[in-house]
Amino acid sequence: MDPNVTPYETVHNDVSNKYDVVIIGAGPVGLLLSTCLARWGYKIKHIDNRPEPTKTGRADGIQPRSLDLLRNMGLKPAIMAHEPAKVYEVAFWDPSSTISGIHRTGTWASCPSFIDARYPFTTLLHQGLIERVFISDLEKNGVNIQRPWTITGFKNDEKADAGFPVEVDLEHVDGKGKETVRARYLFSGEGSRSFVRDQLKIGIKHKDPIAHVWGVMDGVVKTDFPDIKMKCTIHSEHGSIMVIPRENDMVRLYIQIASSTDKDWNPRTTKTEQEVQNSAKRILEPYSIEWERVEWFSVYPIGQGIAEKYTLDHRVFYGRRCLPYTQPGQGMNTAFLDALNLAWKIHHVQAGFANRSLLESYESERKLIAENLLNFDAKYAALFSQRAPAAKDVAAASQQSDQTKDNGGEENQFIKTFKESCEFTSGYGVAYDPNLLNWSPSHPAQSNLINPSGHKLRTGRILINSNVTRVVDANVVHLEQEIPVNGSFRIYLFAGRPSSSGKALQDFVENLKKKSSFFSSYLRPDIDSVSHHERHNPHSHFFTFCTIFNTKRSDVEISRDVPPILARYRDHIYADDIWDQRVPDATAAAHAKMGLNEETGGVIVVRPDGYVGIVTSLVEGSGPVDALNEYFGSFCTKKLGESTAHL
Amino acid sequence: MDPNVTPYETVHNDVSNKYDVVIIGAGPVGLLLSTCLARWGYKIKHIDNRPEPTKTGRADGIQPRSLDLLRNMGLKPAIMAHEPAKVYEVAFWDPSSTISGIHRTGTWASCPSFIDARYPFTTLLHQGLIERVFISDLEKNGVNIQRPWTITGFKNDEKADAGFPVEVDLEHVDGKGKETVRARYLFSGEGSRSFVRDQLKIGIKHKDPIAHVWGVMDGVVKTDFPDIKMKCTIHSEHGSIMVIPRENDMVRLYIQIASSTDKDWNPRTTKTEQEVQNSAKRILEPYSIEWERVEWFSVYPIGQGIAEKYTLDHRVFYGRRCLPYTQPGQGMNTAFLDALNLAWKIHHVQAGFANRSLLESYESERKLIAENLLNFDAKYAALFSQRAPAAKDVAAASQQSDQTKDNGGEENQFIKTFKESCEFTSGYGVAYDPNLLNWSPSHPAQSNLINPSGHKLRTGRILINSNVTRVVDANVVHLEQEIPVNGSFRIYLFAGRPSSSGKALQDFVENLKKKSSFFSSYLRPDIDSVSHHERHNPHSHFFTFCTIFNTKRSDVEISRDVPPILARYRDHIYADDIWDQRVPDATAAAHAKMGLNEETGGVIVVRPDGYVGIVTSLVEGSGPVDALNEYFGSFCTKKLGESTAHL
């Protein structure tokens, strides 16, 4: 057996100092990576140099897209149990020309209706509480963060151990212990001062040499400022403040203190808590504000840096990339998606599904996102640094945005930036470029079934959400959430009308059964002993199937309408019979939202991280499975679909 | 001070053997009562004769209405964390005339769309898990269930102690300890064999002398029966089964074994687990079923009994009333509502708000519900005992039900019973008769503002649900859930258009301020030291105000549009600006759903348990507050509204 591969089903030989992944740092990026891999059966060593999780302060805004992800991981209830604040709107305040002090110029939805989000709000919760949710999940899977430990050295030496090429030296921060372990991968989620990055000599590219200094204060206040429970951007003659509501009647204030281009500038100690409060009081005039309690206060510089590389050898990864400044909290959300992107790729390589080269797409995909974010950030700052948008601008933007696609009208810079801003701050702006995983309309694929006309999905973007009825128990469910973050590709067969697509479904299954299909090539070795209660991966950890019919739930008879291989996923058979306000005239709203033919359906392959990979027609014959074989074959370890090469 | 009254704000003298309430039995009824009263500051002694909470089996279906209540108590997330099964539809199976064995005759929604439910499903979860949710909440409030202890005697002797007239003798079940305590109230939630009921010599009235014997089996099965994850009523030539899905891939089967009218009949031991499984196998033919694991199995008789009285003296209450048999699980849901009904009445009497006679409405309201349930149960059983409804009957019923009110057409018995069935099994069938708390259109009230024409609320019924936007933080919320179960009356001021109703709101507040208004009469003694973060009860524990405007959220300026007394409830100011599918043409959907004028609004008073008490117009002048004074005055300890008697 290839020593480089960890077949998913293999029980680990618990060689005490060998790990699949060693993770340094238990912030959001390290925790999400660790949580996924631990759930999928990998052996993890996770250390952090702090004696305990984040106590106070730090990034705290969970974007709508991140909340989708946390829900998909089953962690949303634990987050919501803390009763976080929810930001639905952003208010803008400016100096007034008529009264002394500030006045509100307008508000806008933080996630307006042109974004089709399940949770159109940002969830505000202290990072320490978020970390604890992950930590408690990790503990259920036998991973305990080793604290306070740090990394003191590492080297990648395939000759020493081809299976576990990375040697990592770890040490208790007080020197109370040392350990040397071997790993298949080393991941650094250390934050901005990274030992791993230093060792790899990976530079940080600065978009802009300027560093900004912010004062940040979390506390409980008494104020007559009416928008204290909203996110606010306040400009005044005395300076600027950003207001972010928090759980437990708390509020966070970001107060911009100074900027400098001096590399050696250290402003950390230049402002006291009292000075920052006085500054806030002046800015908020004519409103009053008093602190009942300050939970956390810090003054720190934020620069805009981006790591030039994320890895040198695809064994040692660096996971903390950039810190934009106009949108506090973006860091955590980006970190979640970084970690998820890497987690499933490591999994597919180690499980023997994908070629090692799949790992290269981690840097190319995620670095693009980081750069886009940085570029956007600069544009956003430039556009809004002088004035906040007026109420009428925002109204016009929101309205036009809803119709943009239809009227094709030209958008002005404000509206464009407004929309981009909403996409970025909601997390739905993430769009991966076409590559081997994301097959755009221009992909040089052989199959002409790919990208059927009319479909509204965008490869590299998240799957559009939809409501359907689960056939076995008549539960109304959110289709995009039905497959948990299980590391598998999600194959959605929108099957149209059973009367129209019966033969196509039958043919699909017949072609799955062929010897060199992706289905037959990656069957579980333990397939004969899988419990009949297994819902998601009865055949393989590579994929999960969902089948969705355009008909009433009670008209679907699984034993009659669904071929056995698909029927085996009996909890993943759905009726597309729930009305949707966004497509009020559709018979089958989920089909319609995807832009798939309501009679004949289509096939959507979604990557394990929720992004659309490829969309094809669902026609009779071998075409659909051929197309999927071609898609998966572009990164899989086995040659797929040979038997159909002559067609 | 009246020794009979516990002012809410008074710190208890911790006289070790004196309690506000002694509660016997930690099943659903005792736990909900205890949880409410403990949260509201009462001192509770709670005992149970079992060494630990229910381990397996027992009633397990949480109705839609009960889930609303659990959410309102903040307990829904803890329930949902267990991933309970959800029943959306009920399937009917009958002997087939064409094939051997059973076939499906149809399915119907367990809570069809003619019922406007937030959660149109029944939640299935093992009772022990539900109990633990309450127990853990109680522990946060310092109440620990004393186990295994039982009651051995009690007497009501006002002469011995007017404040704590009930003497209660308690004993460890193994005789390891004894205790005598005094209480203001004694509540028995003991179940069918009740020491308290026996002592009070309260009889059980049987609707029907017949007793039915059921076999009940919880387990994990392997079956090809397609509706194993639905609620099913199955009739076959070999007998009948009811299928109830459960959490963790479990299923509960109720198998009717025998009936008898012999009082001394004891069938508990007449069936073995194996016999019941064999019986189930025959009934389910042509489908197969095998048990992988049996978690719980029991054979027990169920009779239909109802206690003739719930109390003799309004000091000692008996809280377990009837056990209908066709709808397993009804017991727990009825128990929740019984407990809530009693909890707030005890609270309002002990807090000095209401006359002691308020307690009389507990028996009159809840006994009616129990009788209705029993009567319905018999009717339901009679109608469906011979045949299940055919698919077309159900379709016709569902369809007609949606339109019944409009076409005024006559309904046949089937449709009527179908609808009643849905109302009962959803919990929304609970309707209290007109009394001092529920002012029907025929109430001999002086004010002609009561029951404004067009309103769609029904006094004695639960408040209609609606979505609104909270002004301070722009959160979209469920209005009916905004005030938690805090023991207070909920006063909703639907304020119509600010431009139309400004004067009426102003007048409302001016009249609240009058010396003998319900507002001024029950101000908190500690009103000057109440935290400005107090959201629900800044003025009094008697009431909470909500104000809802027909306008866009961003157009409400609290400091300008809301008079100070109402503005003090700043978290309870809403904009009625969310579109609703049920009233698609309304500008203000919440106003429209209540049937209130969208320009001028109206006032709805909802009892602390969520049932509508009175509805009035919101007009200028003293009328609305006069009407509320009259309403509250009918059961309050103080004479209200004298100053307006001359109007």
Side-chain angles (χ1 to χ4, degrees):
Chain A
M1 183 180 283
D2 179 354
N4 238 337
V5 163
T6 328
Y8 188 74
E9 294 77 11
T10 307
V11 175
H12 280 281
N13 294 322
D14 196 335
V15 181
S16 61
N17 75 334
K18 293 194 176 185
Y19 296 89
D20 289 308
V21 189
V22 172
I23 296 171
I24 315 296
V29 66
L31 287 170
L32 196 137
L33 181 67
S34 183
T35 300
C36 286
L37 292 172
R39 287 179 175 194
W40 301 337
Y42 293 93
K43 191 180 163 199
I44 308 291
K45 164 78 95 177
H46 199 156
I47 67 160
D48 192 273
N49 61 12
R50 300 168 299 168
E52 54 185 34
T54 303
K55 272 192 146 170
T56 51
R58 293 285 196 100
D60 53 16
I62 301 172
Q63 296 172 343
R65 159 61 186 141
S66 299
L67 198 59
D68 288 340
L69 171 59
L70 292 170
R71 178 174 164 208
N72 206 208
M73 296 180 73
L75 302 177
K76 177 169 165 272
I79 297 283
M80 289 302 171
H82 294 290
E83 299 186 4
K86 297 173 187 170
V87 168
Y88 278 76
E89 288 189 22
V90 186
F92 289 86
W93 291 74
D94 258 6
S96 169
S97 53
T98 55
I99 58 162
S100 163
I102 55 171
H103 78 299
R104 191 196 295 114
T105 56
T107 64
W108 77 32
S110 71
C111 184
S113 62
F114 70 82
I115 297 174
D116 186 5
R118 286 284 178 197
Y119 308 109
F121 53 81
T122 303
T123 303
L124 280 306
L125 189 68
H126 160 27
Q127 184 175 321
L129 296 174
I130 300 170
E131 289 174 8
R132 278 169 215 274
V133 168
F134 283 96
I135 290 166
S136 123
D137 194 80
L138 277 170
E139 285 168 358
K140 286 182 206 151
N141 290 296
V143 178
N144 291 287
I145 316 284
Q146 190 170 328
R147 301 173 184 273
W149 278 64
T150 190
I151 181 169
T152 55
F154 64 91
K155 64 177 176 221
N156 179 0
D157 182 358
E158 299 226 0
K159 282 174 197 153
D161 185 336
F164 298 85
V166 189
E167 186 180 280
V168 189
D169 297 317
L170 305 172
E171 193 174 316
H172 189 283
V173 294
D174 298 334
K176 290 179 188 163
K178 285 187 181 193
E179 218 179 320
T180 296
V181 298
R182 299 203 70 86
R184 299 187 193 279
Y185 300 95
L186 168 64
F187 180 83
S188 155
E190 294 165 280
S192 47
R193 286 193 207 92
S194 165
F195 174 84
V196 171
R197 184 170 54 72
D198 282 354
Q199 295 294 305
L200 296 178
K201 300 190 173 35
I202 295 175
I204 294 282
K205 189 175 71 186
H206 287 273
K207 176 81 190 166
D208 192 341
I210 197 166
H212 297 267
V213 180
W214 289 83
V216 185
M217 188 174 289
D218 279 350
V220 178
V221 301
K222 181 165 188 175
T223 179
D224 57 357
F225 177 65
D227 289 352
I228 197 70
K229 296 202 170 185
M230 307 257 274
K231 180 173 170 183
C232 302
T233 299
I234 303 171
H235 297 288
S236 86
E237 286 162 6
H238 306 289
S240 295
I241 276 187
M242 185 174 281
V243 175
I244 310 271
R246 294 278 306 270
E247 73 279 8
N248 291 332
D249 288 320
M250 276 196 298
V251 65
R252 163 168 295 185
L253 298 183
Y254 287 93
I255 301 155
Q256 200 170 342
I257 292 176
S259 305
S260 174
T261 52
D262 179 356
K263 274 194 342 187
D264 299 321
W265 186 48
N266 184 359
R268 274 174 191 273
T269 56
T270 60
K271 289 275 175 183
T272 67
E273 186 175 312
Q274 191 58 50
E275 284 174 315
V276 169
Q277 288 184 354
N278 288 340
S279 171
K281 284 180 187 184
R282 276 193 304 274
I283 294 170
L284 280 175
E285 282 170 8
Y287 301 101
S288 68
I289 184 165
E290 295 294 337
W291 274 261
E292 293 181 354
R293 180 166 70 80
V294 172
E295 185 178 281
W296 182 64
F297 168 67
S298 180
V299 174
Y300 61 85
I302 301 179
Q304 285 185 304
I306 183 165
E308 284 168 347
K309 295 207 66 68
Y310 293 5
T311 181
L312 300 181
D313 53 6
H314 298 99
R315 286 293 186 176
V316 179
F317 290 91
Y318 173 63
R320 194 70 181 271
R321 300 125 297 82
C322 72
L323 274 173
Y325 64 91
T326 53
Q327 300 294 336
Q330 286 278 20
M332 177 174 65
N333 292 283
T334 308
F336 284 154
L337 299 184
D338 283 349
L340 182 62
N341 191 297
L342 183 59
W344 78 262
K345 290 172 183 173
I346 286 179
H347 172 41
H348 275 248
V349 168
Q350 288 312 122
F353 303 147
N355 294 319
R356 181 156 293 279
S357 59
L358 178 67
L359 292 171
E360 293 166 16
S361 68
Y362 166 64
E363 179 177 300
S364 64
E365 291 194 331
R366 295 305 302 171
K367 197 166 172 225
L368 173 77
I369 302 303
E371 282 167 355
N372 286 349
L373 187 58
L374 230 61
N375 289 336
F376 163 73
D377 209 55
K379 192 161 68 174
Y380 179 91
L383 194 67
F384 298 145
S385 59
Q386 297 312 313
R387 70 161 184 100
K392 64 175 166 45
D393 293 339
V394 175
S398 303
Q399 214 151 30
Q400 187 168 343
S401 300
D402 282 338
Q403 299 159 2
T404 299
K405 276 188 200 156
D406 298 323
N407 65 24
E410 205 158 306
E411 298 175 300
N412 71 29
Q413 190 55 37
F414 177 82
I415 290 169
K416 268 177 113 161
T417 308
F418 164 74
K419 286 174 61 180
E420 276 184 277
S421 154
C422 295
E423 289 213 318
F424 271 103
T425 56
S426 66
Y428 292 108
V430 170
Y432 297 131
D433 276 355
N435 63 9
L436 81 171
L437 293 166
N438 318 310
W439 284 25
S440 75
S442 62
H443 191 278
Q446 292 177 21
S447 171
N448 59 12
L449 299 179
I450 296 172
N451 281 300
S453 74
H455 87 81
K456 294 176 181 164
L457 296 152
R458 289 181 287 177
T459 51
R461 291 254 187 177
I462 200 163
L463 179 65
I464 293 168
N465 70 47
S466 60
N467 297 332
V468 293
T469 308
R470 203 191 285 137
V471 169
V472 286
D473 60 8
N475 279 217
V476 178
V477 298
H478 294 174
L479 180 60
E480 76 282 4
Q481 286 285 345
E482 280 286 284
I483 303 172
V485 178
N486 61 348
S488 305
F489 277 87
R490 306 165 176 200
I491 304 175
Y492 296 90
L493 288 143
F494 282 82
R497 290 268 177 207
S499 53
S500 308
S501 60
K503 175 77 163 57
L505 270 191
Q506 201 62 54
D507 289 353
F508 188 88
V509 167
E510 289 308 316
N511 282 280
L512 285 184
K513 289 183 198 160
K514 286 185 183 165
K515 199 169 150 240
S516 62
S517 75
F518 69 92
F519 178 88
S520 302
S521 298
Y522 294 106
L523 290 176
R524 294 173 67 149
D526 61 346
I527 192 163
D528 294 329
S529 58
V530 173
S531 160
H532 69 101
H533 295 294
E534 172 59 46
R535 297 175 185 204
H536 312 299
N537 299 100
H539 300 117
S540 171
H541 287 285
F542 189 160
F543 49 77
T544 300
F545 284 107
C546 290
T547 310
I548 307 100
F549 290 98
N550 168 10
T551 189
K552 292 239 163 291
R553 187 209 71 81
S554 55
D555 292 339
V556 180
E557 195 71 67
I558 294 178
S559 62
R560 179 193 63 204
D561 300 327
V562 190
I565 284 179
L566 300 173
R568 175 61 189 82
Y569 300 78
R570 61 184 178 276
D571 293 292
H572 289 306
I573 316 282
Y574 309 92
D576 186 0
D577 60 357
I578 304 294
W579 180 81
D580 192 301
Q581 200 185 344
R582 286 180 185 266
V583 285
D585 302 326
T587 309
H591 282 70
K593 287 185 82 171
M594 312 294 162
L596 297 174
N597 186 300
E598 295 184 34
E599 281 299 313
T600 56
V603 183
I604 304 171
V605 178
V606 174
R607 304 158 28 147
D609 51 4
Y611 294 86
V612 176
I614 181 177
V615 186
T616 81
S617 306
L618 179 61
V619 296
E620 296 176 13
S622 69
V625 173
D626 291 345
L628 268 50
N629 284 336
E630 196 183 349
Y631 171 72
F632 290 120
S634 70
F635 55 86
C636 269
T637 52
K638 296 183 185 173
K639 192 152 168 52
L640 301 179
E642 292 170 293
S643 64
T644 59
H646 59 93
L647 290 179
Chain B
M1 183 180 281
D2 179 354
N4 238 339
V5 163
T6 330
Y8 188 74
E9 293 78 10
T10 307
V11 176
H12 280 281
N13 295 319
D14 196 333
V15 181
S16 60
N17 74 334
K18 293 193 176 184
Y19 295 89
D20 289 309
V21 190
V22 172
I23 296 171
I24 315 296
V29 66
L31 287 170
L32 196 137
L33 181 66
S34 183
T35 300
C36 286
L37 291 173
R39 288 179 174 192
W40 302 338
Y42 293 94
K43 190 179 163 198
I44 308 290
K45 165 79 96 179
H46 198 156
I47 67 160
D48 192 273
N49 60 13
R50 300 169 298 169
E52 54 186 33
T54 303
K55 273 193 145 168
T56 51
R58 293 284 195 101
D60 53 15
I62 302 171
Q63 297 172 341
R65 159 60 186 141
S66 300
L67 198 59
D68 288 340
L69 171 58
L70 292 170
R71 179 175 164 207
N72 205 208
M73 296 180 73
L75 302 177
K76 178 168 165 273
I79 297 284
M80 290 301 171
H82 294 290
E83 301 186 2
K86 297 173 187 169
V87 168
Y88 278 76
E89 288 190 21
V90 184
F92 289 86
W93 290 75
D94 258 5
S96 168
S97 55
T98 55
I99 58 161
S100 164
I102 56 172
H103 79 299
R104 190 197 294 116
T105 57
T107 64
W108 77 32
S110 70
C111 185
S113 62
F114 70 82
I115 298 174
D116 186 4
R118 285 286 178 196
Y119 308 108
F121 52 81
T122 303
T123 303
L124 280 306
L125 189 67
H126 161 25
Q127 184 175 320
L129 296 174
I130 300 170
E131 289 174 8
R132 279 169 214 275
V133 167
F134 283 96
I135 290 167
S136 123
D137 193 80
L138 278 169
E139 284 168 359
K140 286 181 204 151
N141 290 295
V143 178
N144 291 287
I145 316 284
Q146 189 170 329
R147 301 172 184 270
W149 278 64
T150 189
I151 181 170
T152 55
F154 64 92
K155 64 177 177 217
N156 178 0
D157 183 358
E158 299 227 357
K159 283 174 194 154
D161 186 335
F164 298 84
V166 189
E167 187 180 280
V168 189
D169 297 317
L170 306 172
E171 194 174 315
H172 190 282
V173 293
D174 298 334
K176 290 180 189 164
K178 285 189 182 191
E179 216 179 321
T180 296
V181 299
R182 299 202 70 85
R184 299 187 193 278
Y185 300 94
L186 168 64
F187 180 84
S188 155
E190 294 166 280
S192 47
R193 287 192 208 91
S194 164
F195 174 84
V196 172
R197 184 171 54 73
D198 282 352
Q199 294 293 305
L200 296 178
K201 300 189 174 36
I202 295 176
I204 293 284
K205 189 175 69 184
H206 287 274
K207 177 82 190 165
D208 190 340
I210 197 167
H212 298 267
V213 180
W214 289 83
V216 185
M217 188 175 288
D218 280 350
V220 178
V221 301
K222 180 164 189 177
T223 180
D224 57 356
F225 177 65
D227 289 354
I228 197 71
K229 296 204 169 182
M230 308 258 273
K231 180 174 171 183
C232 302
T233 298
I234 302 172
H235 297 287
S236 86
E237 286 162 7
H238 307 289
S240 295
I241 277 186
M242 185 175 278
V243 175
I244 310 271
R246 293 277 308 269
E247 72 279 8
N248 292 331
D249 288 321
M250 275 196 297
V251 65
R252 163 168 294 184
L253 299 182
Y254 287 93
I255 302 156
Q256 200 171 342
I257 292 176
S259 305
S260 173
T261 52
D262 177 354
K263 276 196 338 189
D264 299 321
W265 186 48
N266 184 358
R268 273 175 192 272
T269 55
T270 61
K271 288 275 175 182
T272 66
E273 186 176 312
Q274 190 58 52
E275 283 173 314
V276 169
Q277 288 184 354
N278 288 341
S279 171
K281 285 180 187 183
R282 275 193 303 274
I283 294 170
L284 280 176
E285 282 170 7
Y287 302 100
S288 68
I289 184 166
E290 296 293 336
W291 275 261
E292 292 181 353
R293 181 166 69 82
V294 172
E295 185 179 280
W296 181 65
F297 166 67
S298 181
V299 174
Y300 61 85
I302 302 179
Q304 285 184 302
I306 183 165
E308 283 167 347
K309 295 208 65 71
Y310 293 6
T311 181
L312 299 181
D313 54 6
H314 299 99
R315 287 293 186 176
V316 179
F317 289 91
Y318 173 62
R320 193 68 182 273
R321 301 123 297 83
C322 73
L323 274 173
Y325 64 92
T326 53
Q327 300 293 336
Q330 286 278 20
M332 177 174 66
N333 292 283
T334 308
F336 284 155
L337 298 184
D338 284 348
L340 182 63
N341 191 297
L342 183 59
W344 77 262
K345 290 171 183 174
I346 287 180
H347 172 40
H348 275 247
V349 168
Q350 289 312 122
F353 303 148
N355 294 319
R356 181 156 293 278
S357 59
L358 178 67
L359 292 172
E360 294 166 17
S361 67
Y362 166 63
E363 179 177 300
S364 64
E365 290 194 332
R366 295 305 301 172
K367 196 165 171 226
L368 173 77
I369 302 301
E371 283 167 354
N372 286 349
L373 187 58
L374 230 60
N375 289 337
F376 163 73
D377 209 55
K379 193 162 68 175
Y380 179 92
L383 194 68
F384 298 145
S385 59
Q386 297 312 315
R387 69 162 185 98
K392 64 175 166 43
D393 293 338
V394 175
S398 303
Q399 215 150 30
Q400 187 168 343
S401 299
D402 282 338
Q403 299 160 3
T404 298
K405 276 187 201 157
D406 298 324
N407 64 23
E410 205 157 306
E411 298 176 300
N412 70 29
Q413 190 56 35
F414 176 82
I415 289 169
K416 268 176 113 161
T417 308
F418 165 72
K419 285 174 62 180
E420 277 184 276
S421 155
C422 295
E423 289 213 316
F424 271 101
T425 56
S426 66
Y428 293 108
V430 170
Y432 296 131
D433 276 355
N435 62 9
L436 81 171
L437 293 166
N438 317 309
W439 285 25
S440 75
S442 63
H443 192 278
Q446 292 175 18
S447 170
N448 59 13
L449 300 180
I450 296 174
N451 282 300
S453 73
H455 87 80
K456 294 176 181 163
L457 296 152
R458 290 181 289 178
T459 50
R461 290 256 186 177
I462 200 163
L463 179 66
I464 293 168
N465 70 47
S466 60
N467 298 332
V468 293
T469 308
R470 204 191 285 137
V471 169
V472 286
D473 60 8
N475 279 217
V476 178
V477 297
H478 294 175
L479 180 60
E480 76 282 5
Q481 286 285 346
E482 280 288 282
I483 303 173
V485 177
N486 61 347
S488 306
F489 277 86
R490 306 165 176 201
I491 305 176
Y492 297 90
L493 289 143
F494 282 82
R497 289 268 178 209
S499 52
S500 308
S501 61
K503 174 77 165 56
L505 270 191
Q506 200 61 55
D507 289 353
F508 188 90
V509 167
E510 289 309 317
N511 283 280
L512 285 183
K513 289 183 197 160
K514 286 184 182 165
K515 198 170 152 239
S516 63
S517 75
F518 69 92
F519 178 87
S520 301
S521 298
Y522 294 105
L523 290 176
R524 294 172 67 147
D526 62 345
I527 191 164
D528 294 330
S529 58
V530 174
S531 160
H532 70 99
H533 294 295
E534 172 59 44
R535 296 175 186 206
H536 311 300
N537 299 100
H539 300 116
S540 171
H541 286 285
F542 190 159
F543 50 78
T544 300
F545 284 107
C546 290
T547 310
I548 307 101
F549 291 98
N550 168 10
T551 189
K552 291 238 163 293
R553 187 210 70 81
S554 54
D555 292 340
V556 180
E557 195 71 68
I558 294 178
S559 62
R560 179 193 64 202
D561 300 327
V562 190
I565 285 179
L566 300 174
R568 176 61 189 82
Y569 300 78
R570 60 182 179 277
D571 292 293
H572 289 307
I573 316 282
Y574 308 92
D576 187 0
D577 59 358
I578 304 296
W579 180 82
D580 191 302
Q581 198 184 345
R582 286 179 186 266
V583 286
D585 302 324
T587 310
H591 282 69
K593 287 185 83 172
M594 312 294 163
L596 298 173
N597 187 300
E598 294 184 34
E599 282 298 314
T600 57
V603 183
I604 304 170
V605 178
V606 174
R607 304 158 28 148
D609 51 4
Y611 294 86
V612 176
I614 182 177
V615 186
T616 81
S617 306
L618 179 62
V619 296
E620 296 175 13
S622 70
V625 172
D626 291 346
L628 267 50
N629 284 335
E630 197 183 348
Y631 171 73
F632 290 121
S634 70
F635 55 87
C636 268
T637 52
K638 296 183 187 174
K639 194 154 166 52
L640 302 178
E642 291 168 295
S643 65
T644 59
H646 60 91
L647 291 178

